[in-house]
């Protein structure tokens, strides 16, 4: 058990932060949790603020409630297999109340910096509170749980300065009615792109999804009438891990074929002109979960077009196949986010000392999402006092964050000390990291 005098700072009170607070309290730490927002739940709280990532009022979870719940707090029976965004937010509120976590929360409080103390034994957390007063707090441990939706990424497009319409990132997409009667291009092919295009198809004159690579698209309920994510089991994951150790290339091939088979089981006819297949392996880009985008592509209320090569005039795009797309009123970039850790010194930024593979990978790909941390969690320099939940992508996010934060609690309490530094360096920075981090 940790002494009650040992303090832990948790930065971020989305789902990851909330469950981390609970698990750190359970092993006896004195916990203080910060969030810049006046509410908990992070992106699961609907907001019209264009500078904050959030679900829409129409959002439905891409994960089933069985895969999304924390380990000791299931969703209520009357919640459907795939809860709405509002139901997920209520679940998080109920979780905080059930475990009496709110006394640890400091909302409306922005963490501006995290540094080691002069003697190097403590962490100094600089904050701006609701009253805008800057103060510093001292902690023994710090856990950063503010996810990866930090800085929106908009790729460089030649001639974009010529475009005469509206340009936004999906972070700022809050109301499809803002684009009523317009011709809109959604840039990218991802879950957010599919969701955005489907919402726009209800009100826009024409909706185009512009993409350079393919994607597998699966419905929430598979052809057998079961939640699609229920096909992934512990036994299957163990088999995949075993196969990966023998042949990563064969594993990617088999995994990709299995996902494509599931896709064809629901959608027997996939028009080649949509350019969905071949798709990148699921180990690099997770499948899109969407119940409507294929039917909209079929009835042409959504059009699939190649990537944008350049913008040749205020409302005309030149595509990568040298065709033109005229009369475009708006571009919505669903092109991911860049994780930033500016609150940390550069020496502790988990993305600062990367591999050539990491640097060369496009933003939004799985390679780029994996920060360089021991076991994807702990700072190599301070594994017993600085940890992260979010940079390392987690399948079954809520459950995964719960289990990961339990592991952090065991390490930080001293019940399971980290290995010697040479082993951490070897695992965190060597070939093992580069190969192992790519399979999610």
């Amino acid at each position: 058990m940790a002494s009650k005098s040992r303090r832990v700072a948790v930065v971020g009170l989305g789902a990851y932060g909330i469950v981390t607070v609970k698990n750190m309290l359970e092993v006896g730490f004195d916990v203080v949790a910060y969030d810049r927002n006046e509410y908990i739940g992070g992106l699961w709280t609907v907001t019209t603020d264009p500078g904050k990532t959030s679900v829409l009022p129409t959002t439905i979870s891409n994960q089933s409630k069985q895969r999304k719940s924390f380990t000791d707090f299931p969703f209520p029976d009357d919640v459907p297999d795939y809860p709405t965004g509002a139901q997920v937010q209520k679940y998080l509120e109920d979780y905080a109340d059930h475990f009496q976590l709110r006394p640890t929360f400091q909302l409306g409080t922005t963490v501006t910096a995290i540094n080691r103390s002069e003697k190097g034994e403590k962490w100094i957390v600089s904050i701006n509170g609701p009253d805008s007063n800057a103060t510093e707090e001292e902690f023994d441990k710090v856990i950063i749980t503010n996810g990866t939706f930090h800085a929106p990424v908009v790729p460089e497009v030649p001639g974009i300065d010529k475009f005469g319409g509206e340009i936004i990132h999906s972070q700022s997409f809050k109301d499809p009615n803002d684009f009523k009667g317009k011709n809109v291009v959604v840039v990218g092919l991802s879950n957010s792109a599919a969701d955005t295009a489907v919402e726009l198809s209800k009100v826009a004159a024409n909706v185009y999804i512009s993409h350079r690579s393919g994607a597998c698209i699966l419905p929430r309920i598979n052809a057998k009438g079961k939640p699609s994510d229920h096909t992934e089991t512990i036994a299957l994951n163990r088999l995949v891990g075993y196969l990966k150790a023998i042949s990563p290339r064969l594993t990617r091939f088999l995994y990709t074929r299995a996902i494509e088979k599931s896709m064809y089981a629901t959608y027997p006819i996939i028009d080649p002109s949509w350019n969905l297949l071949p798709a990148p392996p699921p180990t690099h880009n997770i499948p899109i979960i969407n119940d409507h985008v294929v039917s909209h592509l079929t009835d042409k209320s959504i059009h699939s077009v190649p990537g944008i090569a350049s913008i040749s005039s205020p409302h005309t795009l030149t595509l990568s196949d040298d065709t033109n797309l005229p009369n475009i009123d708006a571009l919505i970039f669903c092109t991911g986010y860049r994780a930033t850790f500016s609150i940390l010194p550069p020496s502790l930024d988990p993305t600062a000392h990367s591999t050539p593979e990491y640097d060369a990978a496009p933003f939004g790909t799985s390679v780029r999402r994996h920060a360089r941390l021991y076991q994807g969690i702990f700072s190599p320099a301070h594994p017993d006092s600085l940890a992260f939940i979010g940079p390392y992508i987690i399948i079954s996010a809520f459950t995964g964050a719960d289990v990961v934060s339990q592991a952090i609690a065991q390490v930080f309490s001293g019940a399971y000390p980290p290995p010697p530094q040479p082993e951490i360096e070897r695992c965190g920075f060597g070939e093992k990291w580069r190969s192992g981090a790519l399979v999610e």
Side-chain angles (χ1 to χ4, degrees), residues 189 207 209 211 217 271 274 276 292-305:
L189 187 56
V207 179
I209 296 181
H211 58 102
I217 301 175
D271 191 327
W274 300 340
L276 298 180
H292 307 291
V293 69
V294 171
S295 62
H296 286 311
L297 286 168
T298 301
D299 67 21
K300 301 190 183 302
S301 54
I302 295 175
H303 306 273
S304 175
V305 299

Side-chain angles (χ1 to χ4, degrees), residues 8 50 56 88 168 174-175 177 260 283 308 365 374 431:
V8 178
L56 298 177
V88 175
I168 66 169
K174 305 298 183 182
D175 186 353
N177 288 308
E260 290 181 357
T283 51
I308 301 173
T365 65
Y374 176 63
E431 182 62 31

